[in-house]
Structures are given as C-alpha cells and as structure tokens.
Amino acid sequence: MSGQTETVGSAGTASAADGAPVQTVGFWEQRYQEGRTGWDLGGPTAVFVRLLDEAPAALPPGKVVVVGCGKGHDVLLFARRGFDAVGIDFAPSAVAAGAAAARGAGLSDRARFEQGDIFDLAGRYPAQFDYVLERACYCAIDPSDRRRYVAAMAGVLKRGGRLIGQFFLGPQERPGPPFATTVEEVRDFFGRQFEVERLDESDTGGTLPGADVLIILRRR
C-alpha cells in the first residue's frame, strides 16, 4: 500500500524492507507519521457507495464494524446512512483522524473509533455486529494470519450477518502489503463459516494497483 517494498521473511513473517513486521502497531503508525498512506482514497470506497445507493433495502441499517478503517471515510459513509458504525485500526494517528472527522461532521453519536488489534475483536464484541466492512484488510495482514482473521470476523458477527469486502487479487508476484489473494482462496478460507452471497469478479474498482473483487459473505 505504500511505495516501500515489503517482503515475506524466511520465517514466513511479512515485513517491510526496514524489518518492521506488518502485524505491529509501529509498522502502520510509521506510515501515517511519514505520510506514506497510498491506500487512503481521501473519501469513501466507491463500491461501498454504489452498494448503498443501488439497493438500500438489501442493506438495512444496523451495527457495522469497519476493520482496518484508516482515517474512517467508510465509517462516516455508513454512519451518514443511519448505521451504528465502529472503526478499528492499529495506527493511533488513523484513529485520531477518524474521530476528528466524525466530530467535524457531527456524527460522533453514530461513528466511533477505537485503536486496537482486529484479532482481539471477537473477545470484545462477541456476535454483536450485523456487518463487517473491509477494504483489503484481509490482504494487508500477514498472509499466515488469514485463517485467524476469518475466525475473528466470524466471531464478531451475528448469525446471518454479512462481511462486505473488497479483496486485492493481484498480481500474485507483487510484494506487499497488500498481499494478493484469489477468489478460490477466499472461498476456501471462509467456506466453513460463511457462504458467498455476492461476488463481482468484474469489479476492478480502481482503488488498488491490480484487480479488486467485491465479495459479500453471509455468516452461517
């Protein structure tokens, strides 16, 4: 997501060229401090705006958690549409920016921000959300943590709740983050606890350097 080259180390841990592992607060906070936030669109994700516009009745307002929320553009989008939205991010600077934006927009009552580890969410919010929203969070974590990620997201969702995600598909050889995935892997990893409700393979979105795919998964 930044211009710096990232690699997967010999022990299988994804890290930056400077050695900082992606699963640490410092990895992401440093990028905000240095302004290396190429993933920040400066506004909400276009495909999420389109989803809310095209069939509002299909996504009735409820409780949504936005994981890897960054500066909170998508948190504010859903809060404006009547959702009770919580944004979670590792980087304190991102959380502070999101909270300030919510205050400025008069949305602090419906848009909250918390600094924390997404893998701890199920313990804090067991089966409390109707929706998980993510844009390449799955592809930003160390790939070895992907099954943990699936379990964590299943843990915060109510039965029948949805995970709405934009996943980064390639190119596979590109160093990350984002670390590319495939539709087949998403189906495999999520398959036990989720069923695919919608998959837009033609949706490139234009938000990441490669092909993006929108996938909506329903918690079994």
Side-chain angles (χ1 to χ4, degrees):
M1 290 183 186
S2 70
Q4 181 173 355
T5 299
E6 271 71 42
T7 62
V8 178
S10 59
T13 299
S15 61
D18 59 12
V22 298
Q23 64 267 43
T24 61
V25 171
F27 179 96
W28 299 103
E29 178 62 16
Q30 181 179 352
R31 279 146 183 75
Y32 279 96
Q33 292 292 333
E34 296 175 355
R36 291 189 288 145
T37 55
W39 60 85
D40 189 321
L41 306 177
T45 305
V47 69
F48 299 155
V49 175
R50 188 168 74 243
L51 274 177
L52 291 170
D53 286 344
E54 70 182 13
L59 294 176
K63 294 184 66 176
V64 57
V65 58
V66 184
V67 292
C69 68
K71 294 182 179 180
H73 306 301
D74 292 325
V75 179
L76 299 186
L77 167 68
F78 275 72
R80 288 189 177 98
R81 302 298 182 98
F83 291 76
D84 177 9
V86 179
I88 307 290
D89 203 276
F90 236 175
S93 290
V95 171
R103 289 192 298 272
L107 291 170
S108 295
D109 58 332
R110 293 201 304 274
R112 296 186 293 109
F113 291 85
E114 299 179 9
Q115 189 277 331
D117 188 331
I118 59 173
F119 295 109
D120 297 334
L121 281 177
R124 290 157 57 190
Y125 295 106
Q128 291 190 27
F129 289 98
D130 302 292
Y131 305 94
V132 169
L133 189 73
E134 76 116 278
R135 183 176 69 87
C137 185
Y138 175 87
C139 296
I141 62 173
D142 189 316
S144 67
D145 283 331
R146 285 177 172 174
R147 291 197 185 275
R148 288 180 62 212
Y149 176 88
V150 173
M153 298 305 102
V156 302
L157 280 169
K158 302 173 184 177
R159 290 199 177 275
R162 295 171 174 135
L163 185 150
I164 303 169
Q166 189 178 51
F167 295 83
F168 174 63
L169 298 185
Q172 294 295 314
E173 67 275 10
R174 181 188 184 276
F179 303 100
T181 186
T182 64
V183 170
E184 292 74 19
E185 183 195 82
V186 172
R187 287 185 182 276
D188 177 34
F189 282 18
F190 284 88
R192 286 192 176 185
Q193 293 164 296
F194 292 85
E195 59 184 352
V196 175
E197 183 175 281
R198 175 170 173 172
L199 194 157
D200 293 355
E201 292 191 68
S202 62
D203 184 9
T204 59
T207 60
L208 290 170
D212 298 334
V213 60
L214 169 71
I215 305 179
I216 300 179
L217 300 145
R218 183 181 289 275
R219 177 79 165 90
R220 296 184 189 275

